[in-house]
Amino acid sequence: MKKKSVLLALGVLVLGLGGGALAALPSLPTPSILDVASPNAREISKLFWLVMGFSIFVLAVVVAFMTAGIIGGLRDRNHDEEPPQTHGNLKLEIAWTIIPLIILAILLVPTLSAIYRLEGYAAPEDALEVNVVGRQFWWEMVYPELGIVTANELVAPVGQPVRLNLASGDTMHSFWIPQVAGKTDLIPGNQRAMWFTPEREGVFYGQCAEICGDSHANMRLRLVVLSPQDYEAWVAAAQRPAAPPEDALAQEGAQLFVQKGCINCHAVQGVNAYNRAGPDLSHIGSRTSIAAGMLPNTRENMIRWLRFTDTVKPGVAMPNLGLSQEEAERIAAYLETLTLPEFDLRAAIRGEGPQNHVNASGYPVDEAGSLSETEIASMEGDR
């Protein structure tokens, strides 16, 4: 009896500690196939619940047999006689072979049906076309019909089909935004495609789902779904270059951007910088995050990124330029001015007015899904 009490107390303690640990986790929005935002995701969610239902049924049956066996063993534990020994049971072996086959056969029908509905139809002719290239460890987004290039944030209008032409620029990746579609692998040398229709406005978080290197876990992306009016305003703004910097600090940063060789890898619309080895920075000041979703887009985080690139994101192709604090501050001030003309994407996400959101400093940045200050400080301390 004493032994049982000790085991029971330990079990309660473990459950209590586990529950406390879960409660202490930050409440960040997590990509989920259960919170669907497109017909494609709904098909996947239905299949998930069907498989989950069968799994729970099988688990219940197994636990019932285990419980019956344990209780029966406890009742007979004081008997001196050895229990009967059974070696093989043909009927039981046939049963536990046939029953799983029947369950799998039942699941096969809705699975094949869902695959056909998801992949058996081409995207509608009016679908928005976006070319997506996965690179270590970021995403390039190109709107070929609109002449827009951006990175890590895919912007689309609600209710319009979106066709993604997927390719890899180096190794294998997998494009996955669970709330709108399933995973699609990006294989070097192969062109893949997928499409979906977002049903509601908001920000939906995605992730590379194929191990692709040191910073695979931090190869994130965001789908920003806007109203048709806001989307049209975003397109008009994204097709125009950012205004030249007027602040003296930002002007010095623009000069350093050239002198330090940043233009050799990054394109900036309206400036003599057309290279695409790294993300296009034409309107980086308007993005909600930097470093492929790792850091909220603030000047302080941009300075951290410029100075400690290889520490914040190990394995990234961007070299450490050895910038001083002052040089990083000036370049960060310049990049902060590269915003969408007369449109504030963050205000549009929050639903503040239909269109023509004028950029203003001091807007709170959407920090969901990004690294915390403690995590960033820890990385810098490890340097």
Side-chain angles (χ1 to χ4, degrees):
M1 181 63 68
K2 187 175 181 180
K3 186 176 181 181
K4 283 186 178 180
S5 300
V6 172
L7 291 175
L8 180 61
L10 286 174
V12 172
L13 178 62
V14 170
L15 290 175
L17 291 174
L22 290 174
L25 290 175
S27 57
L28 296 177
T30 303
S32 172
I33 63 171
L34 305 181
D35 182 21
V36 299
S38 78
N40 305 52
R42 188 169 293 106
E43 287 289 341
I44 296 172
S45 182
K46 289 179 182 177
L47 188 60
F48 167 83
W49 283 117
L50 178 63
V51 174
M52 178 62 72
F54 273 98
S55 301
I56 292 174
F57 170 75
V58 172
L59 176 64
V61 172
V62 171
V63 170
F65 276 104
M66 288 177 58
T67 303
I70 292 172
I71 293 175
L74 291 175
R75 287 176 178 173
D76 299 336
R77 63 181 178 176
N78 294 324
H79 292 186
D80 295 330
E81 298 179 3
E82 183 179 7
Q85 304 298 304
T86 302
H87 299 281
N89 187 315
L90 182 59
K91 293 181 180 180
L92 185 61
E93 292 171 3
I94 292 175
W96 72 43
T97 301
I98 292 179
I99 292 175
L101 289 176
I102 293 174
I103 294 175
L104 291 176
I106 294 173
L107 293 176
L108 180 63
V109 175
T111 300
L112 293 177
S113 177
I115 291 174
Y116 178 76
R117 286 193 295 270
L118 290 171
E119 300 184 1
Y121 300 96
E125 293 183 0
D126 64 339
L128 171 66
E129 198 94 1
V130 184
N131 298 332
V132 178
V133 181
R135 307 181 189 276
Q136 293 177 312
F137 299 95
W138 61 283
W139 304 91
E140 181 181 52
M141 316 287 186
V142 180
Y143 296 70
E145 298 176 354
L146 302 174
I148 297 173
V149 182
T150 184
N152 306 315
E153 293 185 0
L154 176 64
V155 181
V158 66
Q160 180 175 353
V162 180
R163 174 188 165 90
L164 303 181
N165 302 312
L166 303 168
S168 171
D170 37 51
T171 186
M172 283 191 65
H173 301 284
S174 188
F175 187 92
W176 189 31
I177 305 178
Q179 289 172 273
V180 296
K183 295 183 287 187
T184 301
D185 290 341
L186 281 62
I187 303 172
N190 287 268
Q191 188 76 31
R192 306 296 302 278
M194 64 179 293
W195 70 277
F196 56 86
T197 303
E199 294 181 324
R200 68 175 192 264
E201 299 174 34
V203 180
F204 305 98
Y205 298 86
Q207 171 75 47
C208 176
E210 180 73 32
I211 296 178
C212 56
D214 292 344
S215 288
H216 154 71
N218 290 318
M219 188 174 170
R220 311 174 190 182
L221 69 147
R222 301 181 182 192
L223 168 65
V224 180
V225 181
L226 303 175
S227 67
Q229 296 85 355
D230 276 337
Y231 175 74
E232 291 299 326
W234 174 82
V235 169
Q239 291 173 333
R240 297 163 53 193
E246 298 179 357
D247 178 76
L249 189 69
Q251 290 174 349
E252 293 176 13
Q255 296 175 359
L256 285 171
F257 187 83
V258 176
Q259 295 171 3
K260 293 296 182 178
C262 303
I263 62 171
N264 293 330
C265 295
H266 297 282
V268 176
Q269 190 177 346
V271 180
N272 187 23
Y274 304 104
N275 295 291
R276 295 257 292 274
D280 188 294
L281 303 181
S282 295
H283 302 107
I284 189 172
S286 292
R287 294 177 194 161
T288 62
S289 67
I290 60 175
M294 285 187 67
L295 307 174
N297 191 1
T298 65
R299 183 179 295 191
E300 293 74 18
N301 283 337
M302 181 63 76
I303 293 170
R304 289 183 175 121
W305 173 248
L306 292 171
R307 296 197 65 203
F308 308 110
T309 307
D310 52 348
T311 303
V312 174
K313 188 168 252 188
V316 70
M318 179 174 168
N320 189 322
L321 300 177
L323 298 175
S324 66
Q325 177 70 19
E326 292 73 20
E327 290 173 332
E329 288 175 356
R330 284 162 173 75
I331 295 177
Y334 165 62
L335 296 176
E336 195 176 64
T337 68
L338 299 178
T339 57
L340 294 163
E342 299 181 347
F343 184 84
D344 191 329
L345 181 61
R346 301 172 203 176
I349 292 172
R350 295 195 302 271
E352 297 178 0
Q355 55 184 338
N356 294 332
H357 305 281
V358 179
N359 279 283
S361 60
Y363 271 132
V365 180
D366 176 14
E367 299 188 4
S370 302
L371 294 182
S372 67
E373 290 291 326
T374 304
E375 291 172 313
I376 297 168
S378 174
M379 287 180 172
E380 293 180 1
D382 293 338
R383 181 175 170 79

